[in-house]
């Protein structure tokens, strides 16, 4: 699971917990007779459903972007293998020099 997915799951859990708390307060039998609170409960339920849909759509978009980025990187690696090898060699030499200087 990626960091983005972990953050999204945590955000969804917080929203669900908050919605549960609000529903608990609004479902108090003494408050059911108040029309404004009944309307508020309906608005909360509607907006929570919208938030769930938006979160699901955001997840789909993020997954699509990640796939596109991976495809682009793969295509570049196949089109320019010597540049990738040269960059890897340069990074290896740099790390080797840094480690060698520490001793």
């Amino acid at each position: 699971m990626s960091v983005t997915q972990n953050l999204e799951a945590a955000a969804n859990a917080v929203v669900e917990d908050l919605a549960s708390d609000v529903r608990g307060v609004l479902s108090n039998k003494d408050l059911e007779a108040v029309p404004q609170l009944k309307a508020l409960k309906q608005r909360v339920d509607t907006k929570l459903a919208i938030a769930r849909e938006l979160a699901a759509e955001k997840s789909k978009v993020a997954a699509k972007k990640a796939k596109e980025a991976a495809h682009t990187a793969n295509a570049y690696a196949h089109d320019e293998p010597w540049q990738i090898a040269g960059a890897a060699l340069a990074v290896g030499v740099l790390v080797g020099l840094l480690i060698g200087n520490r001793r």
Side-chain angles (χ1 to χ4, degrees):
M1 194 177 247
S2 71
V3 173
T4 302
Q5 289 172 329
N6 287 339
L7 289 174
E8 189 171 320
N12 288 341
V14 169
V15 169
E16 290 294 332
D17 190 40
L18 177 62
S20 177
D21 290 346
V22 170
R23 278 195 194 115
V25 170
L26 294 177
S27 65
N28 184 332
K29 298 293 181 191
D30 296 333
L31 300 176
E32 281 185 3
V34 180
Q36 293 88 354
L37 290 179
K38 188 175 182 179
L40 176 62
K41 183 177 180 182
Q42 289 173 341
R43 286 195 312 269
V44 166
D45 286 341
T46 300
K47 289 181 181 181
L48 182 60
I50 291 169
R52 283 184 186 129
E53 290 176 21
L54 291 173
E57 189 61 31
K58 181 180 175 186
S59 179
K60 288 177 189 176
V61 169
K64 183 179 178 184
K65 285 183 180 181
K67 286 180 184 178
E68 289 173 355
H71 178 55
T72 300
N74 186 36
Y76 181 78
H78 282 90
D79 292 344
E80 306 291 341
W82 289 110
Q83 286 185 350
I84 299 294
L89 177 65
V91 169
V93 168
L94 181 62
V95 169
L97 289 173
L98 291 174
I99 290 173
N101 286 337
R102 289 187 126 172
R103 292 183 181 182

